[in-house]
Amino acid sequence: MNHRKTSTKRNDDASSDALHQYEDTDGHFSFVRNFRLADLVTIMNGVCGSFSMFSSAKYLLSNDRDYLWSALAFPLAGLLFDFFDGKIARWRKSSSLIGQELDSLADLISFGVAPALLAFTVGLRTYLDTVVLTGFICCGLARLARFNATVALVPKDEAGKAKYFEGLPIPSSLALVAVLSYWTKMGWIEGQEGIPLGTITLWGAAEGTGEIHLVSIIFGCWAAAMVSKTLRVPKI
């Protein structure tokens, strides 16, 4: 118990020190000037997620498949930046509390909102589909918040890295993006051959608010796995 209290106090002290670096400088852009290299790489992750969403919107407006392929590719680029920001932070020994928060927010954009919008773009557009996709985003948000709040309590290896993830890490949603990419290649999207397995109507008339695509269940299960407390994924 005393060890946990000491550890908690140490973490609180470290967080306080990390915040002081942003309090002790003045000027309109002093916050930006304090960004570390790893922080800028993290922001590029968020940039990729943003471009994915804009590309999805352009596809919906123009029906130009090039925009859809761009939207599918940008989250993968975001993953590369997500991978390298941690490497750079450890290399330069310059991790920060702000960097941790930036990482979570960028992950939510690239691996939460962007994949959900991609699913909507390719054809998961019924009312219940959007409910499931909204739940997917919110579960990703909750999962990232839990990680930030509990990361200090997760067992660490000799290098100080967490030994496992509690619940599916949100970048795992790229597996869903890969499936959407395959469907796009095969033409199994809205406006062509349609989403595989089709829809079922839970209530009301066909094409009403009770209609849902069966594959939306996959997104629902993925969301549940992200917020699971008992699912532990080894960290590679």
Side-chain angles (χ1 to χ4, degrees), residues 137-193:
I137 294 170
C138 292
C139 284
L141 174 63
R143 190 246 179 268
L144 290 166
R146 181 182 67 184
F147 176 82
N148 287 347
T150 64
V151 64
L153 304 178
V154 175
K156 306 293 192 299
D157 59 18
E158 295 178 355
K161 296 173 62 178
K163 290 184 177 180
Y164 57 80
F165 294 106
E166 283 188 349
L168 277 181
I170 193 170
S172 67
S173 65
L174 284 184
L176 299 175
V177 175
V179 172
L180 298 177
S181 299
Y182 180 72
W183 289 355
T184 301
K185 179 181 178 181
M186 300 302 293
W188 299 339
I189 62 176
E190 185 72 22
Q192 297 185 39
E193 296 183 27

Side-chain angles (χ1 to χ4, degrees), residues 24-52:
D24 296 339
T25 55
D26 296 320
H28 289 296
F29 300 105
S30 59
F31 172 66
V32 177
R33 289 199 301 271
N34 277 315
F35 277 166
R36 294 167 166 81
L37 177 60
D39 297 337
L40 297 176
V41 174
T42 299
I43 289 174
M44 286 305 300
N45 176 13
V47 168
C48 289
S50 299
F51 271 114
S52 175

Side-chain angles (χ1 to χ4, degrees), residues 1-18:
M1 180 66 73
N2 290 333
H3 173 73
R4 178 171 292 183
K5 288 181 178 179
T6 302
S7 177
T8 301
K9 184 178 186 301
R10 190 183 301 117
N11 291 328
D12 290 342
D13 291 341
S15 298
S16 177
D17 292 340

Side-chain angles (χ1 to χ4, degrees), residues 51-75 118 121-122 184:
F51 271 114
S52 175
M53 291 188 290
F54 287 128
S55 296
S56 291
K58 287 181 177 179
Y59 170 75
L60 290 172
L61 291 172
S62 67
N63 207 34
D64 185 339
R65 289 276 290 274
D66 287 342
Y67 286 126
L68 180 54
W69 283 115
S70 296
L72 290 163
F74 275 119
L118 274 166
T121 301
V122 301
T184 301

Side-chain angles (χ1 to χ4, degrees), residues 143 146 164-168 223-234:
R143 190 246 179 268
R146 181 182 67 184
Y164 57 80
F165 294 106
E166 283 188 349
L168 277 181
M226 285 195 292
V227 295
S228 171
K229 177 69 175 176
T230 57
L231 177 62
R232 294 182 175 180
V233 181

Side-chain angles (χ1 to χ4, degrees), residues 31 76 78 88 117 119 152 160 171:
F31 172 66
L76 178 59
I88 292 172
L117 182 55

